[in-house]
Amino acid sequence: DATGIAAIWNHAIDETAITFTTQRKTVPGLQADIAARGPCFQVFEIDGQVGGFATCFPFRAGPGYAFTREHSILLDPAAHGRGAGRALMAALERAAKAEGVHSLWAGVSGENPAGVAFHARIGFAEVARLREVGFKFGRWMDLVLMQKFL
């Protein structure tokens, strides 16, 4: 799945402001992430092809944050409107909860109102808006922090 995930993620990195990073994902790096995260790396397929993914990872370093994770979710445009996002997040939340996660965070670009709305629909609450903390495509962007207790 790493090749399909890389294609979706790198498209978002190269072409959109939904992620602030400019560092492209590699297949070997994703293979390592998938192996390390196990059930906390969920994939959605459409006709045998990767249509999207959701994963979670440590929120911050240190033992005090052991039960808090941040997540990423990205869909291929062909997967939009099929319930894939909800299904991926439900599976990811189950896996995270099984690992003892108490609090799940989303960092959503302020330029992605659909992402903010999606997270609100599945039970995330906006807890902060960090003004102009992201910089990409020659402009400053806000980061919306959203949280859900599992």
Side-chain angles (χ1 to χ4, degrees):
D1 293 334
T3 300
I5 292 166
I8 292 168
W9 215 331
N10 287 333
H11 171 77
I13 289 167
D14 294 343
E15 304 294 330
T16 77
I18 63 173
T19 178
F20 297 158
T21 191
T22 57
Q23 187 174 0
R24 294 176 55 105
K25 300 296 181 179
T26 66
V27 170
L30 286 167
Q31 289 170 330
D33 287 345
I34 292 165
R37 296 178 192 169
C40 283
F41 211 123
Q42 296 287 319
V43 176
F44 174 80
E45 292 187 355
I46 302 172
D47 301 324
Q49 301 294 319
V50 175
F53 69 92
T55 185
C56 64
F57 41 89
F59 175 70
R60 296 183 78 179
Y65 296 103
F67 303 104
T68 301
R69 299 224 181 125
E70 184 175 354
H71 79 279
S72 290
I73 180 169
L74 286 171
L75 300 177
D76 183 280
H80 288 219
R82 295 177 177 226
R86 282 182 180 273
L88 280 168
M89 286 304 299
L92 183 64
E93 289 172 16
R94 283 191 302 275
K97 191 170 184 176
E99 290 188 4
V101 173
H102 172 69
S103 175
L104 195 59
W105 284 82
V108 185
S109 170
E111 294 193 11
N112 184 9
V116 172
F118 166 75
H119 282 87
R121 283 192 305 275
I122 63 169
F124 281 75
E126 184 174 329
V127 295
R129 181 174 291 263
L130 307 178
R131 302 272 179 213
E132 297 183 4
V133 297
F135 188 81
K136 189 173 180 181
F137 301 135
R139 64 184 182 273
W140 292 103
M141 296 175 231
D142 296 349
L143 179 66
V144 179
L145 293 178
M146 302 181 78
Q147 181 182 31
K148 182 175 184 178
F149 291 104
L150 305 181

